[in-house]
Amino acid sequence: MLTKKQHALLVFINQRLTDTGVSPSFDEMKDALGLASKSGIHRLITALEERGFIRRLPHRARALEVIKLPEANVPKQPIGGFKPNVVSNNPDLDRPAAANTVDIPVLGRIAAGTPIEAIQHETDRFSAPADMIGRGEHFALTIQGDSMVDAGIHDGDTVVIRRSSTAQNGDIVVALVDDQEATLKRFRRKGSTIALEAANPEYETRIFGPDRIKVQGTLVGLMRTYQ
Amino acid sequence: MLTKKQHALLVFINQRLTDTGVSPSFDEMKDALGLASKSGIHRLITALEERGFIRRLPHRARALEVIKLPEANVPKQPIGGFKPNVVSNNPDLDRPAAANTVDIPVLGRIAAGTPIEAIQHETDRFSAPADMIGRGEHFALTIQGDSMVDAGIHDGDTVVIRRSSTAQNGDIVVALVDDQEATLKRFRRKGSTIALEAANPEYETRIFGPDRIKVQGTLVGLMRTYQ
DNA sequence: ATACTTGTTGTCGATTTGTTCTCTTATTTC
DNA sequence: GAAATAAGAGAACAAATCGACAACAAGTAT
C-alpha cells in the first residue's frame, strides 16, 4: 500500500504528532527524511492523503492529522520505552468507533442545485448515529444549493449516503451525470430514460438516457446544525 | 494538526481550565504567550476553533471550552499530582469511549402543528455528534406534524434542543404555552407580546402575553433517517 | 519501453505571527 | 439606570515562515 518513503514519512509525522502534538512543517519533514527540498515531501503528502492515511486542511500550515497507520506492526516499541498511562497515542484509531456511532468520511460538497463537480477526496470525518447507518459503505456530503428544499434538504445540511449503484424509483440519490457532475436528486426511471427530479419548483426535472447516469449512492440520513 | 503557537495556547487554556475552572481572558493569554497584543490571541483562538479543539460562545467573556486535546501525551502529570475532588471538569475529555458524540435523552414527541402535550419523560437515548452540542444541557425530541416544513423540519425528524429559558428573536424554540402544551415554533418578541410563528402558511402565527409562554430550549440540531 | 517513485532547484502566493489601533459589547460600579 | 471599565472583534501593515507547483533528471519495477 505504501512505498518506503511514504511509510517513513507517515511514521515520522505520527511520531511528531504524538510526541509534541504539533504537526511538522514541510521543511522539518524534508530534514527528517534527509532531502534537500520540500517538493518531494509535497508529493509524498499528497500520496498519503490520497491513500487515506492522513488528512489535512488545505492551505493551512502544519495542519496534518494521521487517520490510520499501515497495518504493519511497526516495531515502534522504543527499547526501554514505556508509555505512562497511555493505551494508544491515537485514541481515534483503536476506538472501534464509539458504541452508537459510526465514523464515516465526508467527501466534499454536492450541489443540490446546479451540479458543481464530481465527488472529491475526503475532506473531513463525521460520526453518525449507528441507527442511521445500515450495512454497506457510507459517506457524507455537505449540501450546496436549494434544489431539494421541498424535501427538507437545505443548503449547508450534511447528508449521509449509502454507496450503491442502483436505486428504487423515488429514492433520493447521488447521481453522476456524464461522469462529470455529481448531484443530489430524486431518481425516477421512466421507460428507458432516467429522470432526476429536484424538489423545488424553480428547478426543472432533467431527463437522461440510462447510459449517462451513474448512481453513486442513496440518501439514508440527514443532519443539520443551527446556530 | 496544530502549529506551535496554537498548541501552546491550547495547552495553556486547558491548564487554566482544569486548574481554576475559569477560562483565561484574552489579556491573560496574551501575557502567557508573551505577546504584546490580544489580536494574535484572537487569531489563534479562531484557528483552534476552526480545527475543532475548542468551542466558544461568541461575544461572551471567558467562554472557552476545550473539546479535545492534540494526540500528544503531554506529560502533564503534576508530580505530586492529586485532583481535589474533581474527577475532571471536562467530561468530554476523559470519557474514553464515545468519540465525538454526546449521549442525550429523548424526551418524547413534540407537536410542530397543534401542540399535543407537555414534554414527557425520557423515552430513549440518542447519540448526537459533539459538534452539534454546545455547552449546557441538551435533549432530543421527535417531531410530529408539519407546521415547520418550510424551515426544513419534517414529521418524524429528531431535533436536538439546548435547554434554555431565554431565546433570541428568530430562534426556533420549544415553548410551553400556559404550562400545558409544548410546541416547536419560531420565537419572536413583539413589543410586550410573544409571537410563535409556524413555518408553514397553513398555520397561523399565535401571539401571547409574555406570562403565558415559557421557553424550554432552543433548537440546535436536527437529524433525519430515510428508508 | 512505460509508468511510477524519488531528488533537486527555484518561483510565487498564502498563511502565520506580532503590532498598533479602533469599535462594539459585556460587566461592574456607583 | 447611567457611567466607567473590562473584554472581545477585527482592520491594517510588515516580516518570517510555509505550502503549492512547474520543470527536469534519475532510478526502478513491470
Side-chain angles (χ1 to χ4, degrees), chain A residues 18 20 22-23 60 62 64 95 101 132 151-152 154 220-224 226, chain B residues 1-2 7 50 72-73 99 101 132 151-152 154 219-224 226:
Chain A
T18 56
T20 71
V22 176
S23 294
R60 283 282 180 288
R62 297 170 184 268
L64 297 177
R95 182 188 337 95
T101 44
M132 187 177 274
H154 291 216
V220 298
L222 176 146
M223 323 201 67
R224 181 184 307 150
Y226 291 83
Chain B
M1 194 56 166
L2 296 177
H7 184 262
E50 184 179 275
N73 39 4
T101 50
M132 187 179 274
H154 291 217
L219 176 64
V220 298
L222 176 145
M223 322 200 68
R224 179 185 309 150
Y226 290 82

PDB file of all heavy atoms in Angstrom, chain A residues 18 20 22-23 60 62 64 95 101 132 151-152 154 220-224 226, chain B residues 1-2 7 50 72-73 99 101 132 151-152 154 219-224 226:
ATOM      1  N   THR A  18       2.450  12.584  18.068  1.00  0.00           N
ATOM      2  CA  THR A  18       2.227  12.006  19.392  1.00  0.00           C
ATOM      3  C   THR A  18       3.225  12.550  20.401  1.00  0.00           C
ATOM      4  O   THR A  18       2.940  12.613  21.581  1.00  0.00           O
ATOM      5  CB  THR A  18       2.318  10.472  19.357  1.00  0.00           C
ATOM      6  OG1 THR A  18       3.582  10.104  18.829  1.00  0.00           O
ATOM      7  CG2 THR A  18       1.238   9.897  18.479  1.00  0.00           C
ATOM      8  N   THR A  20       4.800  15.701  20.303  1.00  0.00           N
ATOM      9  CA  THR A  20       4.660  17.113  20.612  1.00  0.00           C
ATOM     10  C   THR A  20       3.264  17.675  20.373  1.00  0.00           C
ATOM     11  O   THR A  20       2.956  18.758  20.829  1.00  0.00           O
ATOM     12  CB  THR A  20       5.622  17.945  19.750  1.00  0.00           C
ATOM     13  OG1 THR A  20       5.142  17.920  18.398  1.00  0.00           O
ATOM     14  CG2 THR A  20       7.013  17.350  19.763  1.00  0.00           C
ATOM     15  N   VAL A  22       2.327  18.847  17.749  1.00  0.00           N
ATOM     16  CA  VAL A  22       2.420  19.852  16.687  1.00  0.00           C
ATOM     17  C   VAL A  22       2.805  19.176  15.379  1.00  0.00           C
ATOM     18  O   VAL A  22       3.725  18.361  15.354  1.00  0.00           O
ATOM     19  CB  VAL A  22       3.479  20.914  17.044  1.00  0.00           C
ATOM     20  CG1 VAL A  22       3.663  21.901  15.920  1.00  0.00           C
ATOM     21  CG2 VAL A  22       3.092  21.614  18.334  1.00  0.00           C
ATOM     22  N   SER A  23       2.114  19.509  14.321  1.00  0.00           N
ATOM     23  CA  SER A  23       2.470  18.948  13.022  1.00  0.00           C
ATOM     24  C   SER A  23       3.832  19.463  12.602  1.00  0.00           C
ATOM     25  O   SER A  23       4.140  20.621  12.822  1.00  0.00           O
ATOM     26  CB  SER A  23       1.491  19.407  11.937  1.00  0.00           C
ATOM     27  OG  SER A  23       0.221  18.903  12.140  1.00  0.00           O
ATOM     28  N   ARG A  60      -3.308  25.449   4.933  1.00  0.00           N
ATOM     29  CA  ARG A  60      -3.130  25.786   6.337  1.00  0.00           C
ATOM     30  C   ARG A  60      -1.792  25.195   6.737  1.00  0.00           C
ATOM     31  O   ARG A  60      -1.445  24.088   6.333  1.00  0.00           O
ATOM     32  CB  ARG A  60      -4.223  25.158   7.212  1.00  0.00           C
ATOM     33  CG  ARG A  60      -5.546  25.884   7.145  1.00  0.00           C
ATOM     34  CD  ARG A  60      -5.498  27.145   8.001  1.00  0.00           C
ATOM     35  NE  ARG A  60      -6.753  27.888   7.959  1.00  0.00           N
ATOM     36  CZ  ARG A  60      -7.153  28.575   6.892  1.00  0.00           C
ATOM     37  NH1 ARG A  60      -6.435  28.601   5.805  1.00  0.00           N
ATOM     38  NH2 ARG A  60      -8.292  29.236   6.946  1.00  0.00           N
ATOM     39  N   ARG A  62       0.968  23.446   8.939  1.00  0.00           N
ATOM     40  CA  ARG A  62       1.052  22.414   9.981  1.00  0.00           C
ATOM     41  C   ARG A  62      -0.324  21.859  10.348  1.00  0.00           C
ATOM     42  O   ARG A  62      -0.632  21.689  11.511  1.00  0.00           O
ATOM     43  CB  ARG A  62       1.701  23.002  11.237  1.00  0.00           C
ATOM     44  CG  ARG A  62       3.146  23.451  11.010  1.00  0.00           C
ATOM     45  CD  ARG A  62       3.643  24.245  12.198  1.00  0.00           C
ATOM     46  NE  ARG A  62       4.989  24.770  11.971  1.00  0.00           N
ATOM     47  CZ  ARG A  62       6.102  24.125  12.335  1.00  0.00           C
ATOM     48  NH1 ARG A  62       6.027  22.951  12.917  1.00  0.00           N
ATOM     49  NH2 ARG A  62       7.283  24.666  12.119  1.00  0.00           N
ATOM     50  N   LEU A  64      -1.704  18.817   9.650  1.00  0.00           N
ATOM     51  CA  LEU A  64      -1.770  17.407   9.277  1.00  0.00           C
ATOM     52  C   LEU A  64      -2.354  16.587  10.417  1.00  0.00           C
ATOM     53  O   LEU A  64      -2.231  16.948  11.586  1.00  0.00           O
ATOM     54  CB  LEU A  64      -0.372  16.867   8.978  1.00  0.00           C
ATOM     55  CG  LEU A  64       0.365  17.496   7.803  1.00  0.00           C
ATOM     56  CD1 LEU A  64       1.751  16.900   7.712  1.00  0.00           C
ATOM     57  CD2 LEU A  64      -0.417  17.265   6.536  1.00  0.00           C
ATOM     58  N   ARG A  95     -10.214   3.063  18.863  1.00  0.00           N
ATOM     59  CA  ARG A  95     -11.585   3.053  19.317  1.00  0.00           C
ATOM     60  C   ARG A  95     -12.415   2.492  18.188  1.00  0.00           C
ATOM     61  O   ARG A  95     -12.398   2.972  17.079  1.00  0.00           O
ATOM     62  CB  ARG A  95     -12.082   4.460  19.613  1.00  0.00           C
ATOM     63  CG  ARG A  95     -13.492   4.393  20.135  1.00  0.00           C
ATOM     64  CD  ARG A  95     -14.124   5.754  20.265  1.00  0.00           C
ATOM     65  NE  ARG A  95     -13.190   6.840  20.375  1.00  0.00           N
ATOM     66  CZ  ARG A  95     -12.809   7.539  19.339  1.00  0.00           C
ATOM     67  NH1 ARG A  95     -13.245   7.259  18.142  1.00  0.00           N
ATOM     68  NH2 ARG A  95     -12.000   8.534  19.522  1.00  0.00           N
ATOM     69  N   THR A 101     -22.088   5.011  17.431  1.00  0.00           N
ATOM     70  CA  THR A 101     -21.822   5.842  16.271  1.00  0.00           C
ATOM     71  C   THR A 101     -20.893   5.147  15.312  1.00  0.00           C
ATOM     72  O   THR A 101     -20.153   4.251  15.683  1.00  0.00           O
ATOM     73  CB  THR A 101     -21.159   7.167  16.662  1.00  0.00           C
ATOM     74  OG1 THR A 101     -20.164   6.878  17.608  1.00  0.00           O
ATOM     75  CG2 THR A 101     -22.156   8.114  17.214  1.00  0.00           C
ATOM     76  N   MET A 132     -28.503   5.218  11.928  1.00  0.00           N
ATOM     77  CA  MET A 132     -28.707   5.883  10.643  1.00  0.00           C
ATOM     78  C   MET A 132     -27.989   5.074   9.555  1.00  0.00           C
ATOM     79  O   MET A 132     -28.282   5.168   8.385  1.00  0.00           O
ATOM     80  CB  MET A 132     -28.128   7.296  10.712  1.00  0.00           C
ATOM     81  CG  MET A 132     -28.416   8.143   9.506  1.00  0.00           C
ATOM     82  SD  MET A 132     -27.779   9.813   9.698  1.00  0.00           S
ATOM     83  CE  MET A 132     -29.119  10.619  10.556  1.00  0.00           C
ATOM     84  N   ALA A 151     -37.894  18.814  -0.031  1.00  0.00           N
ATOM     85  CA  ALA A 151     -37.720  17.509   0.596  1.00  0.00           C
ATOM     86  C   ALA A 151     -37.058  17.719   1.959  1.00  0.00           C
ATOM     87  O   ALA A 151     -36.586  16.781   2.588  1.00  0.00           O
ATOM     88  CB  ALA A 151     -36.862  16.609  -0.286  1.00  0.00           C
ATOM     89  N   GLY A 152     -36.994  18.974   2.367  1.00  0.00           N
ATOM     90  CA  GLY A 152     -36.417  19.261   3.674  1.00  0.00           C
ATOM     91  C   GLY A 152     -34.905  19.195   3.693  1.00  0.00           C
ATOM     92  O   GLY A 152     -34.292  19.033   4.733  1.00  0.00           O
ATOM     93  N   HIS A 154     -31.718  21.328   3.034  1.00  0.00           N
ATOM     94  CA  HIS A 154     -31.351  22.725   2.838  1.00  0.00           C
ATOM     95  C   HIS A 154     -29.860  22.911   2.615  1.00  0.00           C
ATOM     96  O   HIS A 154     -29.064  22.032   2.937  1.00  0.00           O
ATOM     97  CB  HIS A 154     -31.784  23.535   4.065  1.00  0.00           C
ATOM     98  CG  HIS A 154     -33.276  23.673   4.200  1.00  0.00           C
ATOM     99  ND1 HIS A 154     -33.876  24.809   4.670  1.00  0.00           N
ATOM    100  CD2 HIS A 154     -34.279  22.812   3.929  1.00  0.00           C
ATOM    101  CE1 HIS A 154     -35.188  24.647   4.683  1.00  0.00           C
ATOM    102  NE2 HIS A 154     -35.461  23.432   4.248  1.00  0.00           N
ATOM    103  N   VAL A 220     -29.613   8.184   3.014  1.00  0.00           N
ATOM    104  CA  VAL A 220     -30.153   7.447   4.156  1.00  0.00           C
ATOM    105  C   VAL A 220     -30.296   8.324   5.405  1.00  0.00           C
ATOM    106  O   VAL A 220     -30.984   7.960   6.341  1.00  0.00           O
ATOM    107  CB  VAL A 220     -29.290   6.221   4.516  1.00  0.00           C
ATOM    108  CG1 VAL A 220     -29.251   5.248   3.358  1.00  0.00           C
ATOM    109  CG2 VAL A 220     -27.887   6.630   4.912  1.00  0.00           C
ATOM    110  N   GLY A 221     -29.647   9.451   5.411  1.00  0.00           N
ATOM    111  CA  GLY A 221     -29.770  10.273   6.617  1.00  0.00           C
ATOM    112  C   GLY A 221     -29.426  11.724   6.363  1.00  0.00           C
ATOM    113  O   GLY A 221     -28.848  12.060   5.325  1.00  0.00           O
ATOM    114  N   LEU A 222     -29.802  12.557   7.302  1.00  0.00           N
ATOM    115  CA  LEU A 222     -29.523  13.981   7.157  1.00  0.00           C
ATOM    116  C   LEU A 222     -29.276  14.591   8.531  1.00  0.00           C
ATOM    117  O   LEU A 222     -29.908  14.205   9.518  1.00  0.00           O
ATOM    118  CB  LEU A 222     -30.723  14.661   6.490  1.00  0.00           C
ATOM    119  CG  LEU A 222     -30.660  16.179   6.329  1.00  0.00           C
ATOM    120  CD1 LEU A 222     -31.359  16.592   5.043  1.00  0.00           C
ATOM    121  CD2 LEU A 222     -31.308  16.887   7.503  1.00  0.00           C
ATOM    122  N   MET A 223     -28.361  15.529   8.594  1.00  0.00           N
ATOM    123  CA  MET A 223     -28.111  16.214   9.852  1.00  0.00           C
ATOM    124  C   MET A 223     -27.925  17.695   9.587  1.00  0.00           C
ATOM    125  O   MET A 223     -27.379  18.084   8.561  1.00  0.00           O
ATOM    126  CB  MET A 223     -26.836  15.710  10.492  1.00  0.00           C
ATOM    127  CG  MET A 223     -26.630  14.241  10.308  1.00  0.00           C
ATOM    128  SD  MET A 223     -25.523  13.601  11.534  1.00  0.00           S
ATOM    129  CE  MET A 223     -26.517  13.819  12.965  1.00  0.00           C
ATOM    130  N   ARG A 224     -28.371  18.459  10.514  1.00  0.00           N
ATOM    131  CA  ARG A 224     -28.259  19.915  10.354  1.00  0.00           C
ATOM    132  C   ARG A 224     -27.900  20.496  11.715  1.00  0.00           C
ATOM    133  O   ARG A 224     -28.353  20.014  12.740  1.00  0.00           O
ATOM    134  CB  ARG A 224     -29.599  20.479   9.896  1.00  0.00           C
ATOM    135  CG  ARG A 224     -29.625  21.979   9.676  1.00  0.00           C
ATOM    136  CD  ARG A 224     -31.031  22.434   9.328  1.00  0.00           C
ATOM    137  NE  ARG A 224     -31.566  21.651   8.203  1.00  0.00           N
ATOM    138  CZ  ARG A 224     -32.859  21.388   8.045  1.00  0.00           C
ATOM    139  NH1 ARG A 224     -33.749  21.815   8.907  1.00  0.00           N
ATOM    140  NH2 ARG A 224     -33.257  20.680   7.007  1.00  0.00           N
ATOM    141  N   TYR A 226     -27.896  24.101  13.845  1.00  0.00           N
ATOM    142  CA  TYR A 226     -28.331  25.501  13.838  1.00  0.00           C
ATOM    143  C   TYR A 226     -27.321  26.305  14.626  1.00  0.00           C
ATOM    144  O   TYR A 226     -26.391  25.762  15.174  1.00  0.00           O
ATOM    145  CB  TYR A 226     -29.723  25.621  14.477  1.00  0.00           C
ATOM    146  CG  TYR A 226     -30.819  25.002  13.626  1.00  0.00           C
ATOM    147  CD1 TYR A 226     -31.084  23.642  13.676  1.00  0.00           C
ATOM    148  CD2 TYR A 226     -31.567  25.794  12.760  1.00  0.00           C
ATOM    149  CE1 TYR A 226     -32.075  23.071  12.897  1.00  0.00           C
ATOM    150  CE2 TYR A 226     -32.560  25.234  11.974  1.00  0.00           C
ATOM    151  CZ  TYR A 226     -32.811  23.871  12.048  1.00  0.00           C
ATOM    152  OH  TYR A 226     -33.790  23.322  11.272  1.00  0.00           O
TER     153      TYR A 226
ATOM    154  N   MET B   1      -1.462  18.735  13.239  1.00  0.00           N
ATOM    155  CA  MET B   1      -2.724  19.459  13.118  1.00  0.00           C
ATOM    156  C   MET B   1      -2.607  20.891  13.623  1.00  0.00           C
ATOM    157  O   MET B   1      -3.337  21.760  13.215  1.00  0.00           O
ATOM    158  CB  MET B   1      -3.803  18.719  13.922  1.00  0.00           C
ATOM    159  CG  MET B   1      -5.200  19.171  13.621  1.00  0.00           C
ATOM    160  SD  MET B   1      -5.607  19.052  11.871  1.00  0.00           S
ATOM    161  CE  MET B   1      -7.384  19.228  11.929  1.00  0.00           C
ATOM    162  N   LEU B   2      -1.688  21.111  14.544  1.00  0.00           N
ATOM    163  CA  LEU B   2      -1.579  22.454  15.109  1.00  0.00           C
ATOM    164  C   LEU B   2      -0.190  23.035  14.907  1.00  0.00           C
ATOM    165  O   LEU B   2       0.778  22.301  14.775  1.00  0.00           O
ATOM    166  CB  LEU B   2      -1.848  22.392  16.609  1.00  0.00           C
ATOM    167  CG  LEU B   2      -3.256  21.962  17.023  1.00  0.00           C
ATOM    168  CD1 LEU B   2      -3.341  21.882  18.526  1.00  0.00           C
ATOM    169  CD2 LEU B   2      -4.266  22.943  16.472  1.00  0.00           C
ATOM    170  N   HIS B   7      -0.701  25.210  19.574  1.00  0.00           N
ATOM    171  CA  HIS B   7      -0.561  24.158  20.564  1.00  0.00           C
ATOM    172  C   HIS B   7      -0.280  24.736  21.935  1.00  0.00           C
ATOM    173  O   HIS B   7      -0.869  24.335  22.940  1.00  0.00           O
ATOM    174  CB  HIS B   7       0.557  23.208  20.141  1.00  0.00           C
ATOM    175  CG  HIS B   7       0.715  22.029  21.039  1.00  0.00           C
ATOM    176  ND1 HIS B   7       1.654  21.978  22.048  1.00  0.00           N
ATOM    177  CD2 HIS B   7       0.032  20.861  21.104  1.00  0.00           C
ATOM    178  CE1 HIS B   7       1.554  20.822  22.680  1.00  0.00           C
ATOM    179  NE2 HIS B   7       0.575  20.127  22.139  1.00  0.00           N
ATOM    180  N   GLU B  50     -11.578  26.595  14.552  1.00  0.00           N
ATOM    181  CA  GLU B  50     -11.742  26.063  13.200  1.00  0.00           C
ATOM    182  C   GLU B  50     -11.313  24.603  13.131  1.00  0.00           C
ATOM    183  O   GLU B  50     -11.908  23.800  12.424  1.00  0.00           O
ATOM    184  CB  GLU B  50     -10.862  26.913  12.277  1.00  0.00           C
ATOM    185  CG  GLU B  50     -10.936  26.611  10.819  1.00  0.00           C
ATOM    186  CD  GLU B  50     -10.021  27.576  10.053  1.00  0.00           C
ATOM    187  OE1 GLU B  50     -10.463  28.684   9.747  1.00  0.00           O
ATOM    188  OE2 GLU B  50      -8.844  27.221   9.802  1.00  0.00           O
ATOM    189  N   ALA B  72      -0.966  14.340  21.369  1.00  0.00           N
ATOM    190  CA  ALA B  72       0.205  14.277  22.227  1.00  0.00           C
ATOM    191  C   ALA B  72      -0.146  13.843  23.635  1.00  0.00           C
ATOM    192  O   ALA B  72      -1.130  14.241  24.213  1.00  0.00           O
ATOM    193  CB  ALA B  72       0.870  15.639  22.284  1.00  0.00           C
ATOM    194  N   ASN B  73       0.697  12.992  24.180  1.00  0.00           N
ATOM    195  CA  ASN B  73       0.505  12.574  25.554  1.00  0.00           C
ATOM    196  C   ASN B  73       1.305  13.506  26.421  1.00  0.00           C
ATOM    197  O   ASN B  73       2.265  13.135  27.043  1.00  0.00           O
ATOM    198  CB  ASN B  73       0.960  11.142  25.742  1.00  0.00           C
ATOM    199  CG  ASN B  73       2.221  10.877  24.940  1.00  0.00           C
ATOM    200  OD1 ASN B  73       2.771  11.806  24.318  1.00  0.00           O
ATOM    201  ND2 ASN B  73       2.700   9.669  24.975  1.00  0.00           N
ATOM    202  N   ALA B  99     -16.433   8.668  20.869  1.00  0.00           N
ATOM    203  CA  ALA B  99     -15.575   9.537  20.115  1.00  0.00           C
ATOM    204  C   ALA B  99     -16.076  10.952  20.180  1.00  0.00           C
ATOM    205  O   ALA B  99     -15.820  11.694  21.105  1.00  0.00           O
ATOM    206  CB  ALA B  99     -15.586   9.087  18.666  1.00  0.00           C
ATOM    207  N   THR B 101     -19.230  11.974  20.151  1.00  0.00           N
ATOM    208  CA  THR B 101     -20.660  12.056  20.334  1.00  0.00           C
ATOM    209  C   THR B 101     -21.006  12.286  21.782  1.00  0.00           C
ATOM    210  O   THR B 101     -20.229  12.014  22.675  1.00  0.00           O
ATOM    211  CB  THR B 101     -21.357  10.769  19.886  1.00  0.00           C
ATOM    212  OG1 THR B 101     -20.697   9.683  20.491  1.00  0.00           O
ATOM    213  CG2 THR B 101     -21.314  10.630  18.393  1.00  0.00           C
ATOM    214  N   MET B 132     -22.539  19.203  17.445  1.00  0.00           N
ATOM    215  CA  MET B 132     -23.895  19.725  17.395  1.00  0.00           C
ATOM    216  C   MET B 132     -24.276  20.259  18.771  1.00  0.00           C
ATOM    217  O   MET B 132     -25.183  21.044  18.933  1.00  0.00           O
ATOM    218  CB  MET B 132     -24.853  18.605  16.964  1.00  0.00           C
ATOM    219  CG  MET B 132     -26.257  19.048  16.706  1.00  0.00           C
ATOM    220  SD  MET B 132     -27.288  17.667  16.175  1.00  0.00           S
ATOM    221  CE  MET B 132     -26.994  17.642  14.408  1.00  0.00           C
ATOM    222  N   ALA B 151     -39.137  25.332   7.279  1.00  0.00           N
ATOM    223  CA  ALA B 151     -37.830  25.507   7.902  1.00  0.00           C
ATOM    224  C   ALA B 151     -37.058  24.201   7.771  1.00  0.00           C
ATOM    225  O   ALA B 151     -36.034  23.999   8.407  1.00  0.00           O
ATOM    226  CB  ALA B 151     -37.989  25.896   9.369  1.00  0.00           C
ATOM    227  N   GLY B 152     -37.583  23.307   6.961  1.00  0.00           N
ATOM    228  CA  GLY B 152     -36.872  22.050   6.732  1.00  0.00           C
ATOM    229  C   GLY B 152     -37.033  21.070   7.877  1.00  0.00           C
ATOM    230  O   GLY B 152     -36.241  20.153   8.026  1.00  0.00           O
ATOM    231  N   HIS B 154     -39.347  18.254   9.271  1.00  0.00           N
ATOM    232  CA  HIS B 154     -40.456  17.419   8.830  1.00  0.00           C
ATOM    233  C   HIS B 154     -40.937  16.471   9.902  1.00  0.00           C
ATOM    234  O   HIS B 154     -40.234  16.215  10.891  1.00  0.00           O
ATOM    235  CB  HIS B 154     -40.025  16.619   7.593  1.00  0.00           C
ATOM    236  CG  HIS B 154     -39.820  17.461   6.378  1.00  0.00           C
ATOM    237  ND1 HIS B 154     -40.152  17.065   5.112  1.00  0.00           N
ATOM    238  CD2 HIS B 154     -39.319  18.721   6.232  1.00  0.00           C
ATOM    239  CE1 HIS B 154     -39.859  18.014   4.237  1.00  0.00           C
ATOM    240  NE2 HIS B 154     -39.342  19.024   4.898  1.00  0.00           N
ATOM    241  N   LEU B 219     -33.549  25.314  19.477  1.00  0.00           N
ATOM    242  CA  LEU B 219     -33.149  24.297  18.513  1.00  0.00           C
ATOM    243  C   LEU B 219     -31.686  24.442  18.116  1.00  0.00           C
ATOM    244  O   LEU B 219     -31.259  25.513  17.702  1.00  0.00           O
ATOM    245  CB  LEU B 219     -34.018  24.441  17.256  1.00  0.00           C
ATOM    246  CG  LEU B 219     -33.691  23.524  16.079  1.00  0.00           C
ATOM    247  CD1 LEU B 219     -33.920  22.084  16.464  1.00  0.00           C
ATOM    248  CD2 LEU B 219     -34.553  23.906  14.885  1.00  0.00           C
ATOM    249  N   VAL B 220     -30.926  23.380  18.266  1.00  0.00           N
ATOM    250  CA  VAL B 220     -29.533  23.458  17.842  1.00  0.00           C
ATOM    251  C   VAL B 220     -29.177  22.425  16.772  1.00  0.00           C
ATOM    252  O   VAL B 220     -28.172  22.551  16.085  1.00  0.00           O
ATOM    253  CB  VAL B 220     -28.555  23.294  19.027  1.00  0.00           C
ATOM    254  CG1 VAL B 220     -28.757  24.407  20.034  1.00  0.00           C
ATOM    255  CG2 VAL B 220     -28.715  21.938  19.677  1.00  0.00           C
ATOM    256  N   GLY B 221     -30.003  21.415  16.620  1.00  0.00           N
ATOM    257  CA  GLY B 221     -29.637  20.429  15.610  1.00  0.00           C
ATOM    258  C   GLY B 221     -30.828  19.622  15.142  1.00  0.00           C
ATOM    259  O   GLY B 221     -31.905  19.657  15.758  1.00  0.00           O
ATOM    260  N   LEU B 222     -30.637  18.938  14.048  1.00  0.00           N
ATOM    261  CA  LEU B 222     -31.721  18.130  13.503  1.00  0.00           C
ATOM    262  C   LEU B 222     -31.149  16.901  12.828  1.00  0.00           C
ATOM    263  O   LEU B 222     -30.088  16.959  12.206  1.00  0.00           O
ATOM    264  CB  LEU B 222     -32.506  18.980  12.491  1.00  0.00           C
ATOM    265  CG  LEU B 222     -33.642  18.266  11.736  1.00  0.00           C
ATOM    266  CD1 LEU B 222     -34.783  19.238  11.503  1.00  0.00           C
ATOM    267  CD2 LEU B 222     -33.163  17.711  10.416  1.00  0.00           C
ATOM    268  N   MET B 223     -31.841  15.792  12.947  1.00  0.00           N
ATOM    269  CA  MET B 223     -31.398  14.584  12.281  1.00  0.00           C
ATOM    270  C   MET B 223     -32.601  13.873  11.684  1.00  0.00           C
ATOM    271  O   MET B 223     -33.686  13.898  12.251  1.00  0.00           O
ATOM    272  CB  MET B 223     -30.741  13.644  13.270  1.00  0.00           C
ATOM    273  CG  MET B 223     -29.912  14.368  14.291  1.00  0.00           C
ATOM    274  SD  MET B 223     -28.737  13.271  15.040  1.00  0.00           S
ATOM    275  CE  MET B 223     -27.692  12.983  13.647  1.00  0.00           C
ATOM    276  N   ARG B 224     -32.359  13.263  10.577  1.00  0.00           N
ATOM    277  CA  ARG B 224     -33.461  12.569   9.920  1.00  0.00           C
ATOM    278  C   ARG B 224     -32.907  11.272   9.344  1.00  0.00           C
ATOM    279  O   ARG B 224     -31.764  11.236   8.882  1.00  0.00           O
ATOM    280  CB  ARG B 224     -34.004  13.448   8.795  1.00  0.00           C
ATOM    281  CG  ARG B 224     -35.150  12.828   7.995  1.00  0.00           C
ATOM    282  CD  ARG B 224     -35.525  13.738   6.842  1.00  0.00           C
ATOM    283  NE  ARG B 224     -35.756  15.110   7.312  1.00  0.00           N
ATOM    284  CZ  ARG B 224     -35.532  16.182   6.560  1.00  0.00           C
ATOM    285  NH1 ARG B 224     -35.077  16.062   5.333  1.00  0.00           N
ATOM    286  NH2 ARG B 224     -35.763  17.377   7.051  1.00  0.00           N
ATOM    287  N   TYR B 226     -33.739   8.297   6.518  1.00  0.00           N
ATOM    288  CA  TYR B 226     -34.607   7.907   5.408  1.00  0.00           C
ATOM    289  C   TYR B 226     -34.695   6.387   5.421  1.00  0.00           C
ATOM    290  O   TYR B 226     -34.029   5.741   6.210  1.00  0.00           O
ATOM    291  CB  TYR B 226     -34.037   8.391   4.076  1.00  0.00           C
ATOM    292  CG  TYR B 226     -34.106   9.898   3.932  1.00  0.00           C
ATOM    293  CD1 TYR B 226     -33.146  10.723   4.496  1.00  0.00           C
ATOM    294  CD2 TYR B 226     -35.169  10.499   3.249  1.00  0.00           C
ATOM    295  CE1 TYR B 226     -33.212  12.103   4.380  1.00  0.00           C
ATOM    296  CE2 TYR B 226     -35.248  11.876   3.118  1.00  0.00           C
ATOM    297  CZ  TYR B 226     -34.259  12.675   3.683  1.00  0.00           C
ATOM    298  OH  TYR B 226     -34.340  14.037   3.557  1.00  0.00           O
TER     299      TYR B 226
END
